[in-house]
Amino acid sequence: MSTVTWITARGLFGRRRFLLLLPLPLVLLGLAVLCRSLGVDPGQWGPPVLVGLGLAVVLPVVALIIGTGVLGAEIDDGTVVHILTKPLPRWQIVLPKLAVAAGVTAVTVAVPLYVAGVLADSVRLGLALAVAAALGALAYSALFLALSLVTRRPVLLGLVYVLIWEGLLGNFVSGTKVLSIQQYVIALADRIAPTGLLETSVSVPVASVMTALVSVGFTVLAIDRLRSFSVAGETS
């Protein structure tokens, strides 16, 4: 597993797509610092920056870029053959890749969210956002990793989920929030550090259970899907 982890991390940081991770977190951090330095009321800039940008855009987009890349890129360029030919159970391939995807996503997003939370309210809010974002990173990564094995257009489907389901329908159809990872993250963060800056109709028990189900369910799907791949990298 350590070998797969090393190969995945080296491949991720060696690809140009890794550079796509930097702008959004920097924009989030820059806006938070700017608003704080200008003395803008946190009640005005907190929700749009922390939730509207941080949790609704930065977290899922970074997770999408990484989650679809840790295995999807290897399938596209054919290098997945080198891993599939090794006598490894498929879970020993999927789990390290998921760990790398979730870990890199969590660090990339949690740090600027922590700083923004501290600037908006308190250290407790910053920690709450960081912890919740890390849990959300795991759920998103499992989802997008599975998509890279289910379809040839995982990025497109991922964007549909993030922009249409969570972004558009989530704001107008309340029932869709129960199937929104973004709402789970908001609920968990608000439970750790209750504040008026975070609002959601999803309860903490539902958010906790659904986060676990999404993480485990899509991981199992990814493992099962990878079992159907032949050495040629195609599904049998």
Side-chain angles (χ1 to χ4, degrees):
M1 290 180 66
S2 59
T3 302
V4 177
T5 302
W6 166 247
I7 293 174
T8 303
R10 185 179 62 181
L12 176 63
F13 289 103
R15 295 190 180 102
R16 291 183 179 181
R17 72 163 53 197
F18 181 73
L19 297 177
L20 299 175
L21 307 180
L22 302 180
L24 284 176
L26 291 177
V27 169
L28 170 63
L29 188 59
L31 286 176
V33 172
L34 179 62
C35 291
R36 178 61 182 266
S37 62
L38 293 177
V40 181
D41 182 6
Q44 295 182 341
W45 68 266
V49 172
L50 298 178
V51 179
L53 177 60
L55 300 182
V57 177
V58 179
L59 174 57
V61 170
V62 169
L64 178 62
I65 294 173
I66 299 176
T68 58
V70 291
L71 192 51
E74 294 177 356
I75 294 174
D76 292 338
D77 60 24
T79 56
V80 70
V81 172
H82 300 296
I83 296 178
L84 293 178
T85 54
K86 296 183 180 298
L88 290 174
R90 293 309 185 234
W91 66 267
Q92 289 189 11
I93 298 175
V94 171
L95 292 188
K97 289 184 174 295
L98 176 60
V100 170
V104 174
T105 299
V107 172
T108 304
V109 179
V111 173
L113 272 176
Y114 169 78
V115 175
V118 172
L119 294 176
D121 187 76
S122 63
V123 172
R124 183 178 180 182
L125 177 59
L127 289 173
L129 288 170
V131 171
L135 294 174
L138 176 59
Y140 275 122
S141 297
L143 168 61
F144 296 140
L145 175 59
L147 281 181
S148 70
L149 292 167
V150 171
T151 176
R152 293 183 180 276
R153 292 182 173 81
V155 175
L156 177 60
L157 289 182
L159 287 174
V160 169
Y161 174 75
V162 172
L163 300 179
I164 305 300
W165 185 269
E166 292 193 329
L168 182 60
L169 295 179
N171 290 325
F172 298 102
V173 184
S174 59
T176 61
K177 293 182 178 181
V178 181
L179 297 177
S180 170
I181 297 174
Q182 175 195 142
Q183 297 300 319
Y184 308 157
V185 175
I186 296 174
L188 294 173
D190 190 49
R191 175 64 180 85
I192 300 172
T195 173
L197 300 178
L198 304 175
E199 294 183 359
T200 181
S201 59
V202 177
S203 66
V204 175
V206 170
S208 302
V209 171
M210 290 302 294
T211 299
L213 287 177
V214 169
S215 301
V216 175
F218 282 103
T219 300
V220 171
L221 174 62
I223 294 172
D224 181 70
R225 185 64 176 173
L226 190 60
R227 288 197 183 104
S228 68
F229 273 65
S230 65
V231 175
E234 302 291 340
T235 54
S236 57

